[in-house]
């Protein structure tokens, strides 16, 4: 119930603060990056193809590492853009989490000998999404104004296809071409969420734990709870790395330690503020609608005006 309350109050904050431009038609979100003709060069070794889910490629002297593979309908275009920069073998694919806009191109990128890395909760989260495939198909169709797909046979409770060959618990490290990669469990948007850290480049790939919007603490289409305190701890873990480049899986890379600290701290504090306000209201015996209309509305609106959020 707490997560549901947080979701309602989060939606209230978004409506009370200046919003970013939103496409007139939600299907435009699915065309993000369609006009990109060349991959973005983040630094001398990191390239990005933009889309509804971005795909990143890290080039090393012994092969390449792909981080997230976008949605299936954009994966081929993203691959073409990235391989125009470097056609080296794909040694690893790292999935920041199991949402379809990150896993859609795994089979397209996977080669003989490619290792696919994910956090161990990936397996159950994939099964969860697959066992509710009809439910989510209708909700996603409503969210993005696309046709509802025809019903498919129910795959059962454990019918997901599991692509990863390496599943880790809290941390997994490897070195390729003299470049060390550290992969951390950072639950937030999903229970299997991971962050990729490359110390040489001071670069953190944060998946969907950061957006250029209010924190996505709850989806109106319905999904598993996103515990706010896990989100906060994961953002603190990233901040403790002191990154100089942050590459989200949606939106543009962020450069500069000061700017990164400002944005991620503000994002974390927004989650903390809403969480604590909701908990206080619950402890005071307020129902969710009272909390939305009265005390939290005033406090959150004041916070939004003060921070420009």
């Amino acid at each position: 119930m707490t997560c549901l309350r947080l979701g309602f109050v989060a939606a209230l904050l978004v409506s009370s603060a200046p919003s970013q431009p939103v496409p007139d038609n939600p299907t435009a979100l699915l065309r993000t990056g369609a006009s990109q003709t060349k991959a973005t060069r983040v630094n001398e070794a990191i390239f990005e193809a933009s889309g509804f889910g971005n795909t990143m490629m890290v080039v090393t002297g012994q092969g390449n590492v792909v981080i997230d593979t976008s949605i299936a309908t954009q994966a081929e275009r993203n691959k073409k853009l990235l391989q125009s920069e470097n056609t080296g073998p794909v040694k690893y694919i790292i999935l920041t989490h199991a949402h379809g806009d990150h896993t859609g191109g795994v089979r397209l990128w996977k080669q003989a000998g490619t290792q696919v890395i994910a956090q161990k909760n990936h397996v159950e989260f994939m099964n969860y999404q697959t066992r509710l495939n009809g439910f989510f198909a209708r909700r996603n169709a409503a969210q993005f104004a696309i046709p509802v797909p025809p019903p498919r046979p129910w795959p059962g409770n454990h019918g997901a296809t599991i692509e990863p060959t390496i599943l880790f618990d809290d941390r997994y490290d490897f070195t390729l071409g003299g470049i060390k990669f550290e992969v951390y469990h950072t639950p937030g948007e999903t229970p299997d969420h991971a962050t990729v850290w490359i110390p040489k480049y001071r670069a953190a790939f944060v998946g969907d734990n950061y957006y250029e919007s209010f924190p996505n603490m709850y989806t109106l289409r319905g999904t598993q709870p996103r515990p706010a305190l896990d989100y906060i701890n994961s953002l603190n873990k990233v901040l403790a790395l002191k990154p100089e480049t942050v590459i989200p899986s949606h939106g543009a890379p962020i450069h500069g330690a000061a700017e990164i600290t400002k944005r991620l701290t503000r994002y974390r504090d927004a989650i903390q503020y809403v969480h604590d306000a909701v908990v206080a209201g619950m402890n005071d015996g307020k129902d969710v609608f009272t909390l939305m209309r009265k005390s939290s509305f005033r406090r959150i609106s004041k916070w939004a005006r003060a921070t420009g959020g």
Side-chain angles (χ1 to χ4, degrees):
M1 179 61 78
T2 302
C3 290
L4 182 60
R5 290 170 186 256
L6 285 169
F8 278 129
V9 179
L12 183 61
L13 173 55
V14 172
S15 68
S16 67
S19 60
Q20 295 189 359
V22 176
D24 293 334
N25 188 326
T27 59
L29 292 170
L30 300 177
R31 297 193 297 272
T32 301
S35 62
Q36 187 179 19
T37 58
K38 185 175 176 60
T40 299
R41 188 185 183 103
V42 180
N43 67 12
E44 68 269 25
I46 302 172
F47 298 87
E48 178 184 87
S50 301
F52 182 69
N54 300 337
T55 302
M56 287 67 66
M57 183 174 73
V58 184
V59 177
T60 84
Q62 293 182 339
N64 299 335
V65 177
V66 172
I67 301 171
D68 285 342
T69 63
S70 194
I71 196 167
T73 54
Q74 295 180 332
E76 187 171 355
R77 179 187 65 84
N78 284 8
K79 182 182 178 184
K80 182 179 179 180
L81 289 173
L82 292 169
Q83 289 197 322
S84 293
E85 302 295 336
N86 190 284
T87 57
V90 178
K91 295 294 188 178
Y92 293 90
I93 297 169
I94 307 174
L95 301 174
T96 63
H97 59 292
H99 279 156
D101 53 337
H102 302 258
T103 63
V106 170
R107 294 182 186 180
L108 190 67
W109 278 100
K110 194 173 182 180
Q111 302 171 355
T114 301
Q115 298 281 2
V116 182
I117 301 171
Q119 203 276 333
K120 69 177 185 179
N121 289 319
H122 174 99
V123 175
E124 171 49 28
F125 191 62
M126 283 294 295
N127 282 323
Y128 162 78
Q129 294 179 107
T130 302
R131 75 175 65 107
L132 287 168
N133 60 2
F135 170 83
F136 284 122
R138 290 190 295 275
R139 294 297 182 91
N140 287 332
Q143 180 173 350
F144 297 108
I146 57 177
V148 178
R152 292 177 288 172
W154 186 57
N157 286 319
H158 302 92
T161 299
I162 306 301
E163 299 285 1
T165 57
I166 296 172
L167 294 166
F168 71 95
D169 188 358
D170 293 323
R171 174 174 173 171
Y172 183 80
D173 296 357
F174 67 93
T175 299
L176 183 68
I179 307 299
K180 185 178 183 183
F181 293 76
E182 302 173 4
V183 192
Y184 295 94
H185 184 207
T186 50
E189 168 135 333
T190 64
D192 69 324
H193 198 284
T195 293
V196 183
W197 170 242
I198 305 179
K200 177 177 179 178
Y201 302 123
R202 310 297 302 169
F205 300 77
V206 296
D208 285 3
N209 275 359
Y210 173 82
Y211 290 91
E212 292 183 357
S213 67
F214 188 81
N216 195 15
M217 297 160 63
Y218 183 79
T219 65
L220 296 179
R221 72 175 184 272
T223 187
Q224 286 185 329
R226 297 175 176 177
L229 297 181
D230 284 353
Y231 233 128
I232 291 165
N233 290 338
S234 293
L235 288 166
N236 283 335
K237 185 179 290 188
V238 174
L239 285 165
L241 296 170
K242 300 187 183 304
E244 295 175 8
T245 302
V246 160
I247 302 119
S249 292
H250 296 277
I254 311 168
H255 297 281
E259 181 66 17
I260 289 166
T261 299
K262 182 179 93 171
R263 291 203 202 181
L264 265 62
T265 299
R266 182 167 174 251
Y267 200 79
R268 178 203 65 195
D269 290 352
I271 297 172
Q272 183 82 63
Y273 190 93
V274 174
H275 174 274
D276 291 354
V278 172
V279 169
M282 292 172 70
N283 285 333
D284 288 343
K286 295 183 174 67
D287 62 72
V288 63
F289 300 105
T290 299
L291 193 59
M292 286 165 51
R293 288 193 301 264
K294 296 184 179 179
S295 58
S296 286
F297 178 81
R298 289 195 296 270
R299 290 198 296 266
I300 294 172
S301 297
K302 182 178 178 181
W303 176 88
R305 290 193 298 271
T307 61

